[in-house]
Each structure stands twice: as C-alpha cells, then as structure tokens.
Amino acid sequence: GKLGDMVRIVTTHYAGRAPTDSIVTTLTSLKGVSPQVSTAVLDGLMEGWPANSPPALSAGDISQLESVMDSLPEIVRDRLLSLGERWQVSGLFAGRMEAIIQTLKNQVADSGLDDPERASAAARWIGLQDRPDVAEAILEPVTLLSTPSLSTGLINSLGTSRSDETGSVILGRWSSFTPAVQRSAISMLLRRSEWSMALLDAVENKSIARTDIPPEYWSQLRQSRNRRVAGRANRIATAGLEVSSDRAAIVTRLLPLAERKGDAKRGKQVFAQSCAVCHRFEGEGGTVGPELTGIASRDRADILLEILDPNRSVEANYRLWNASTSDGTIYSGRLEAESQTTIEILDIAGQKHVIQRDEIASLEVLPQSIMPTGFEAMPEDDLTSLLEYLSQPHE
C-alpha cells in the first residue's frame, strides 16, 4: 500500500549514496519486521544501490547478514539474495541460491497463488538467473486457456531480462498466446532491439504471420531508432503478399473482373444478402468481420483479391477459433473478448457465445480467416456489381 511505497522511495534515496558504513545495521533492523515492510526496504535498496559500489564487509558483518537472511520470511529472502548478488562480495550468502530459486520456481508453478503473485515470483527468478531455460520455464504455464492476467503477467515478468535470447524464447511460445496476449508480447519485444530483430525474423521465416503484428506496432518498428530494425521492418512490411496456393487458379481466372463496370444498385443488394451479416459498411451490417467503410480508397483488384482469397492476409483479430466444451459442444468464430472467467466467441451468423473457462476442454486458433471461401461461385455480374458498390466514393 501507500506505506510500502513511501518506505521504498525513502530507501531508494538512502541506497543511492551507497551507504556502506550503515548498511549492515539497516539490514539487521529488518529482523522481526513484517514481510510488506521488509519487501519495500529491500526493493528500494536494490533499485537505488549504484553498480560497482560493494560494501567492505568483515567476517562478522557476513555472519550478521546470514542471520538476517535466516530471520526473513521465505518469500522475502530472494530480494536480499539479489542485493548480495549486486554487491558480489565473496562468501556472502554462499549456497543459498539453490533453495531460493526452488521457492520461486514453486511459486510460479503454483496455480493456488494469485496471478500477480506468480508473475512477481517470475520477475524475481529471471532477476537472479537471466537465462533462456529459465525464461522457458516461466512461460510454461501460459496456454490459450490460461487467464489473460497470468499470461500477460508472466510475459511482462521477462521485461527485466537483459539476455538477447529472451525474445526468441517468447516467440517460441507464440501459438500459446491469444490475440490480447500477443499484443502484450509484441509491446515487450519492441523494448529491446535484439528482441525486435527476433520478431522480424519470425515474420520473415513465417513462424508468425505478418498480420499478427497490428498496424500501430508496424509503425513503431518502421520508425525505430535502431536503423537495422527500421530498415528491416520497412522491407518486410512493404513486401508483396502471395496468393494462397489453393486459390491461385480461381484468382487468375476472376481477377480481370476488377476491370469491368458493374451495377452499384445491384451491388448494394448483393452486399445485403452475402456480406452484411459479418461486415459493417456505411453504418449497416454486422461486426463479425472488419469494418469496410472507407474501402473505396483501395485498388479494385485488391478488394476483389480479398473476396476471392480471404486467407492470404488475415489480421490476428479475424482468425477462426474453435472452442470445444467438456459436454462436447463446439463453437467456431472470432474470439471477441476474454476475461478471467470467460471467453466470447462471435460466430459467422453474428451470434455471441459466452463460454465459462472451466467448461472449456480445448481451444485452438486456425490460420484461416473467419470469412469463408467460395464467393467465386457467385454469378460474375454479382461480383462486378458488388465491387462497383464497394468502390464508389461514399459521403
């Protein structure tokens, strides 16, 4: 609470002077103090203590600090160990690391603890052992079914890592992240240039889809202060999208229709019959698929390509999700929302299904769009009329 925050701020200022003469006395005073206060004091000392300013400790000081360690509650000991690690005083807290790491490991894996407690233990663990195998172990509990606060908390706990490889570890777990969790992960990967490069590698080798990265994050990548990141992001973002292999023949046959004139009035009827259940356009229609108002600014061939080959470029929010419940029911559609206790699937008829997390047997995301294929079966005149309607400048 507020008291803890104040204690931490005061202690941070105190630590900034590297008060080597009084630190042993200060730490000794933590004996018998509540976990909340000792946590705030140790966090403040860690935050404020300057690098390369270890205190000169006598053998008596070291044994005094060992007895402080023994007196602290188990959940606080790792913070004192972190401070000792920063000082790098030979012989201080020797042999303690293993037991403390085991405690943190157990806390991260303990589903009985609150999500923030598990994330806090993860942050302290990576602080003590900044290694790829530890990052992997921290992300182990993250699945498509884990609560958003646990998933994002564990991913964010890796934010203090300074290892170049942490970015690749996060990306290796990509298929376990829902769209909201992916956004948190991208936001964190953008904090370090090496992690941003790992993200761009993953897009280039297609282990994650280019459309998994929302436009605002592409814009951050392209404007990165690191010239290597910016140059690479600009190249990847502007590279052409290929047509899905199974749609190539259909696209080749029907793409010339983009050059033909159509009947916009008829196109409005076609839109109402075939598209309005999912797409909103000029204030009418559903919200299952992307909003189409403003699509007239795009090239007609481009619009037709999206209709004929909806899987060639699918934004993460419009992928097809399948949720099956323990009673054998399967729901398919867009993952519209998720909370600690439920997920919401919006099916292609625009029906919303709220499913309790504890009733979900499996949850999977497919690379396909929620938009079905098969519009090539429409009469050609209907396709050209639909294009005419969508391409007209609207007020």
Side-chain angles (χ1 to χ4, degrees):
K2 282 185 179 169
L3 174 65
D5 291 343
M6 279 174 58
V7 170
R8 191 175 56 78
I9 291 164
V10 170
T11 316
T12 305
H13 285 301
Y14 161 76
R17 304 197 311 274
T20 57
D21 50 342
S22 60
I23 189 63
V24 176
T25 314
T26 302
L27 289 170
T28 305
S29 68
L30 293 180
K31 288 185 175 186
V33 167
S34 75
Q36 288 80 357
V37 173
S38 44
T39 294
V41 169
L42 289 165
D43 282 350
L45 289 171
M46 259 302 284
E47 205 174 311
W49 200 280
N52 308 318
S53 305
L57 300 177
S58 67
D61 290 336
I62 288 178
S63 91
Q64 182 73 5
L65 291 176
E66 292 285 353
S67 79
V68 173
M69 178 70 92
D70 290 330
S71 76
L72 288 173
E74 202 179 19
I75 55 168
V76 181
R77 286 179 187 171
D78 63 279
R79 292 170 159 92
L80 183 53
L81 180 62
S82 295
L83 188 61
E85 290 281 303
R86 169 165 290 199
W87 289 342
Q88 294 185 322
V89 173
S90 152
L92 180 61
F93 307 137
R96 296 275 186 170
M97 180 74 97
E98 212 168 301
I100 285 172
I101 292 294
Q102 193 54 54
T103 303
L104 293 171
K105 214 180 206 173
N106 295 344
Q107 288 174 347
V108 171
D110 184 354
S111 55
L113 287 179
D114 287 351
D115 295 345
E117 287 178 84
R118 293 172 75 183
S120 166
R124 281 149 34 217
W125 182 10
I126 200 80
L128 289 170
Q129 290 186 313
D130 193 357
R131 305 195 315 246
D133 60 315
V134 171
E136 299 246 9
I138 284 171
L139 294 182
E140 189 64 37
V142 176
T143 68
L144 290 174
L145 289 172
S146 51
T147 61
S149 75
L150 179 66
S151 301
T152 54
L154 291 176
I155 289 169
N156 289 339
S157 76
L158 301 179
T160 55
S161 167
R162 292 294 168 261
S163 163
D164 290 348
E165 290 148 88
T166 301
S168 303
V169 172
I170 294 168
L171 289 158
R173 303 277 307 175
W174 197 255
S175 59
S176 316
F177 303 163
T178 60
V181 175
Q182 284 180 0
R183 291 180 80 94
S184 292
I186 293 168
S187 180
M188 209 181 70
L189 290 166
L190 263 52
R191 287 190 212 161
R192 297 183 68 80
S193 300
E194 289 308 322
W195 299 354
S196 298
M197 288 301 264
L199 176 63
L200 294 170
D201 281 342
V203 173
E204 209 153 37
N205 65 32
K206 296 189 166 59
S207 57
I208 80 167
R210 176 165 36 175
T211 46
D212 282 355
I213 303 178
E216 62 272 29
Y217 289 123
W218 271 117
S219 145
Q220 273 187 49
L221 282 162
R222 295 174 73 172
Q223 291 165 37
S224 168
R225 291 175 62 182
N226 181 299
R227 287 169 61 185
R228 279 170 59 231
V229 171
R232 183 111 179 272
N234 277 302
R235 269 204 318 283
I236 295 173
T238 51
L241 287 167
E242 301 145 24
V243 170
S244 310
S245 54
D246 59 334
R247 312 294 296 159
I250 291 162
V251 168
T252 309
R253 177 166 62 84
L254 294 177
L255 208 53
L257 293 181
E259 307 295 321
R260 262 197 229 169
K261 194 103 180 86
D263 172 4
K265 209 165 162 190
R266 169 71 192 139
K268 187 172 184 174
Q269 295 170 340
V270 174
F271 182 84
Q273 290 158 6
S274 305
C275 318
V277 67
C278 289
H279 293 283
R280 203 164 178 72
F281 183 67
E282 300 300 322
E284 288 175 22
T287 56
V288 182
E291 164 80 60
L292 297 183
T293 304
I295 200 171
S297 63
R298 289 173 64 179
D299 187 75
R300 282 170 74 124
D302 200 24
I303 300 172
L304 183 56
L305 203 47
E306 296 284 2
I307 296 170
L308 299 175
D309 184 14
N311 296 323
R312 99 188 223 281
S313 160
V314 193
E315 280 180 47
N317 289 348
Y318 297 106
R319 294 238 164 83
L320 183 65
W321 287 76
N322 288 333
S324 57
T325 56
S326 34
D327 68 0
T329 313
I330 296 173
Y331 298 94
S332 293
R334 173 156 85 82
L335 183 65
E336 186 175 45
E338 48 173 335
S339 73
Q340 292 294 90
T341 51
T342 62
I343 66 164
E344 291 178 19
I345 298 267
L346 194 59
D347 68 22
I348 56 171
Q351 292 282 323
K352 183 183 288 188
H353 306 277
V354 178
I355 309 162
Q356 298 298 318
R357 281 184 181 276
D358 55 12
E359 289 171 10
I360 299 173
S362 73
L363 183 65
E364 60 167 352
V365 59
L366 304 175
Q368 285 99 309
S369 167
I370 44 171
M371 177 165 163
T373 52
F375 287 97
E376 67 277 3
M378 264 187 191
E380 290 189 3
D381 283 352
D382 280 2
L383 268 175
T384 51
S385 295
L386 176 61
L387 261 186
E388 193 69 41
Y389 174 61
L390 292 173
S391 321
Q392 284 199 325
H394 290 257
E395 289 309 309

